[in-house]
Amino acid sequence: MARLLLGLTLSLCLAIGLWLPQVAAASVDPVFSVTTSTNSLLQNQTVKVDIQGDSLNDLFAYELNLYYDGSILQPDTTQKFTDLNGFALPIKIVQEGGTHVQLVYTKTGSLTGLSGSVKLGTLTFRAVGTGTVDLTLEQVKISTSSLKEEKLITPNAKATLLVDSRERPTLGSYPTPTVSTPAEPNVVSVKPEQLQTSGTEQIDISLPTGAQQILLPSNTAELLGDKKLEIQAEKLKLELPAKVFSQLINLVSEPERSDSKITLAIEPLTESAVGESVLNQAKNQLGARVKLGSLIYNIKLYVTTKAGQTMSVTSFEQPVQIQFKLDSAVDPKLSSVYYISDNGGLERVGGTYFSGDLSSDISHFSKYTVLEVSKSFADVPQSHWAADVIQALASKLIISGTSEQNFEPESKVTRAQFTALMARALKLKMTNSTTSFQDVQSSDWFAPEVAAAVQAGIVNGRETDKFEPNALVSREEMTAILMRSYSLLHGKTDPAAASSFSDEAAIGEWALADVKAAAALDLIQGRSEGQFEPQGFATRAEAAQVLYRLLSK
């Protein structure tokens, strides 16, 4: 049945291009080969396996079936097997007819297929047993760009590996006595009883220096109950809710769960080339001076079945907290946690500093690090009253300049600009761009932010059906939006504790309570002694200042 389903999957991929013009079929079958990065390895080590195609002629889609002994080798199914442009299905482990991995790929949007010599797939296997094992490419299904028919080839290309439990001396050498070490020196196994401590809100596991993998029971979620699991590495801490583990184990069918194992891998990437690559990407992407504020970590959480199939969660239903030990050479105010995507792109995820550590909630595992981002503007000298605030917010990508060099601190702010600023700073969910305002079109750049801010209750229109996005925002309007945002974050304030301004009579009745409360909370200040100037228009520097104070509370 599995073969039939996989065959149908390939046929579906091939059907994508039925409209393409027919190309003549190759008169000579392509040649396939299997090579490995080594021909011998120790138990628990990994090996790279490449599948190469030669004499290819218009290869538009293919299915590769590589057979192996599952008691000796375990493939990593969390990685992509090819970087070829097109569509590739996730790596699949098939048991029917003999244990094998199946790799399915098709080109898309191209008139011709692959020709000549091409690497069709790369896999990583971990040695979980010992002995001699063959990796055999028994079946290959191919189709040309005409996609009219599917051809089955049986190349039986093979590579042989020897997996041993100990180092083998080279020819002509003599074995040297060695002190025995554990088979997996970088692996920590957590026993069920370690997850059942009573009277605590969380379970703490501290890792010894050098440990990079934690093996957890398949019923970790059940053992934790409503507690969290805290993993403390040398310079990194993770706090995982039990929900993450239940979400992970639910990927496995119920009969297979008890024989499965959960692995949390925390790998520090210490190679200098990796750090240099991240810094170069950051400088180009962010347009600022950048420093690494911590090690770069590659973090994975996956479950492996008894049959060797590996599965992982792509998005957590409850966030995981990641906490870095910050390098003392960087400025915490300018530092944030960044996610590094597979293609090298950077995404800021946040950062709260406390007592030498920088923490943030994350929704998935991958590569993460801390970056100090220092952005300065030619028209904001260090002597400017808002210089530090502008630099801090720019480092967190909350505000940006009007150009690469200038910020224009005295320029006025529109209602759309200030609303967008608040929505992004508060990380409001922007699920749509539709509003009831006639002057806010769904295609406007600020439409998603306005829609989110209205839904969150932090902003209103000036009239029922008019938002007036291009109107300048007054200081009393800015303060009203600010206090609604404060209430969203912290709850209502007590207006009895509020202070007043000498021009209080000029403040609109609708905004008076907000202005007094904001002043009491030190979120705003007057422009001159005792004067608030409520109808004055807010500047970019003033908007940055109130936003910084809000986020610092």
Side-chain angles (χ1 to χ4, degrees):
M1 182 64 181
R3 287 179 184 268
L4 177 59
L5 290 175
L6 291 166
L8 290 173
T9 301
L10 178 62
S11 299
L12 181 61
C13 290
L14 300 180
I16 294 173
L18 280 175
W19 53 272
L20 297 173
Q22 186 168 353
V23 178
S27 58
V28 178
D29 284 343
V31 177
F32 299 94
S33 59
V34 179
T35 58
T36 58
S37 57
T38 182
N39 57 14
S40 64
L41 68 160
L42 299 178
Q43 190 175 7
N44 298 309
Q45 290 184 335
T46 58
V47 60
K48 294 281 188 183
V49 179
D50 291 330
I51 302 175
Q52 176 83 9
D54 296 302
S55 302
L56 303 178
N57 186 356
D58 190 31
L59 176 63
F60 198 84
Y62 59 81
E63 176 189 288
L64 309 175
N65 294 277
L66 183 70
Y67 288 72
Y68 63 95
D69 186 339
S71 67
I72 298 178
L73 294 178
Q74 175 185 301
D76 183 352
T77 58
T78 64
Q79 299 180 353
K80 295 189 301 182
F81 69 84
T82 182
D83 289 324
L84 293 172
N85 291 329
F87 175 71
L89 292 178
I91 299 170
K92 287 288 185 182
I93 298 178
V94 183
Q95 300 296 330
E96 185 179 348
T99 303
H100 61 284
V101 287
Q102 189 168 64
L103 314 178
V104 177
Y105 164 86
T106 181
K107 294 194 75 174
T108 55
S110 179
L111 293 176
T112 57
L114 305 168
S115 295
S117 297
V118 178
K119 184 187 293 185
L120 302 177
T122 297
L123 295 163
T124 299
F125 286 85
R126 178 176 292 277
V128 295
T130 59
T132 301
V133 58
D134 290 333
L135 292 144
T136 307
L137 186 65
E138 290 190 8
Q139 293 183 346
V140 177
K141 295 178 183 178
I142 62 174
S143 179
T144 62
S145 59
S146 66
L147 298 176
K148 295 295 184 182
E149 62 182 49
E150 178 184 306
K151 186 173 185 178
L152 176 64
I153 300 175
T154 55
N156 285 319
K158 182 171 67 174
T160 301
L161 287 171
L162 174 63
V163 182
D164 204 346
S165 59
R166 57 185 176 83
E167 194 78 41
R168 302 174 77 88
T170 58
L171 186 64
S173 67
Y174 294 91
T176 302
T178 58
V179 178
S180 62
T181 58
E184 299 181 85
N186 295 329
V187 177
V188 172
S189 294
V190 177
K191 298 178 180 179
E193 54 265 30
Q194 292 177 265
L195 303 177
Q196 292 179 301
T197 304
S198 60
T200 60
E201 295 182 356
Q202 63 185 34
I203 303 298
D204 298 327
I205 303 291
S206 294
L207 304 182
T209 301
Q212 296 184 9
Q213 282 194 7
I214 303 97
L215 300 182
L216 295 157
S218 60
N219 62 335
T220 292
E222 179 184 342
L223 294 170
L224 287 174
D226 58 355
K227 299 176 183 177
K228 294 183 178 181
L229 177 62
E230 183 179 285
I231 303 294
Q232 176 69 67
E234 187 175 1
K235 295 184 178 181
L236 182 80
K237 184 187 294 183
L238 295 173
E239 190 177 90
L240 301 95
K243 180 67 175 178
V244 170
F245 296 102
S246 63
Q247 188 182 353
L248 177 65
I249 199 64
N250 285 340
L251 297 175
V252 181
S253 64
E254 192 166 353
E256 294 182 289
R257 290 176 189 173
S258 61
D259 292 324
S260 299
K261 62 180 180 180
I262 294 173
T263 303
L264 175 63
I266 305 174
E267 180 188 3
L269 305 179
T270 56
E271 299 88 347
S272 58
V274 176
E276 291 172 4
S277 175
V278 170
L279 287 175
N280 289 335
Q281 172 66 26
K283 291 172 185 176
N284 293 332
Q285 182 178 326
L286 306 177
R289 298 184 300 278
V290 183
K291 292 181 186 177
L292 278 173
S294 72
L295 291 174
I296 301 169
Y297 287 92
N298 188 16
I299 309 172
K300 297 180 181 179
L301 179 67
Y302 53 90
V303 59
T304 306
T305 66
K306 185 178 181 180
Q309 186 172 7
T310 301
M311 290 168 278
S312 58
V313 175
T314 57
S315 181
F316 303 139
E317 293 177 3
Q318 290 184 5
V320 169
Q321 186 182 84
I322 187 169
Q323 182 174 307
F324 291 87
K325 181 66 65 177
L326 201 61
D327 191 314
S328 60
V330 301
D331 186 345
K333 293 182 180 179
L334 305 181
S335 301
S336 300
V337 178
Y338 278 81
Y339 152 60
I340 307 168
S341 67
D342 290 340
N343 64 8
L346 297 168
E347 179 183 327
R348 181 183 179 272
V349 295
T352 301
Y353 178 77
F354 179 76
S355 189
D357 296 328
L358 195 71
S359 62
S360 179
D361 286 345
I362 57 176
S363 60
H364 60 86
F365 281 141
S366 185
K367 292 188 281 289
Y368 289 90
T369 192
V370 171
L371 294 177
E372 178 200 83
V373 178
S374 180
K375 176 68 176 177
S376 58
F377 299 99
D379 57 355
V380 185
Q382 199 56 43
S383 58
H384 191 283
W385 64 270
D388 290 344
V389 166
I390 292 170
Q391 185 181 43
L393 292 180
S395 75
K396 293 174 171 54
L397 312 184
I398 295 173
I399 63 173
S400 59
T402 55
S403 68
E404 191 66 29
Q405 293 79 29
N406 294 318
F407 183 76
E408 296 185 15
E410 303 309 316
S411 292
K412 303 300 187 289
V413 181
T414 67
R415 283 170 50 82
Q417 290 169 339
F418 189 70
T419 301
L421 191 67
M422 296 301 297
R424 294 169 188 169
L426 297 174
K427 297 182 179 179
L428 299 181
K429 292 184 178 180
M430 300 173 198
T431 56
N432 66 76
S433 56
T434 303
T435 72
S436 61
F437 302 121
Q438 295 179 359
D439 52 0
V440 178
Q441 305 303 314
S442 59
S443 57
D444 290 334
W445 67 266
F446 49 81
E449 287 86 351
V450 170
V454 169
Q455 185 174 359
I458 66 170
V459 71
N460 300 315
R462 283 190 169 174
E463 296 180 24
T464 303
D465 59 352
K466 289 186 180 180
F467 184 73
E468 297 190 17
N470 297 318
L472 298 179
V473 67
S474 68
R475 284 171 52 82
E476 62 182 1
E477 279 183 315
M478 177 182 71
T479 305
I481 296 171
L482 179 69
M483 284 309 301
R484 292 174 198 145
S485 301
Y486 182 89
S487 296
L488 187 65
L489 293 174
H490 306 290
K492 294 290 185 180
T493 59
D494 181 6
S499 61
S500 62
F501 293 97
S502 59
D503 58 351
E504 182 178 303
I507 301 173
E509 184 178 349
W510 59 271
L512 180 58
D514 288 330
V515 171
K516 295 175 71 174
L521 290 167
D522 198 29
L523 292 175
I524 60 168
Q525 59 188 29
R527 280 185 169 174
S528 57
E529 191 65 32
Q531 297 283 316
F532 179 65
E533 298 185 22
Q535 278 77 51
F537 296 123
T539 66
R540 284 170 56 82
E542 288 174 332
Q545 175 79 318
V546 298
L547 181 56
Y548 180 81
R549 292 184 177 184
L550 172 67
L551 298 178
S552 299
K553 292 294 183 180

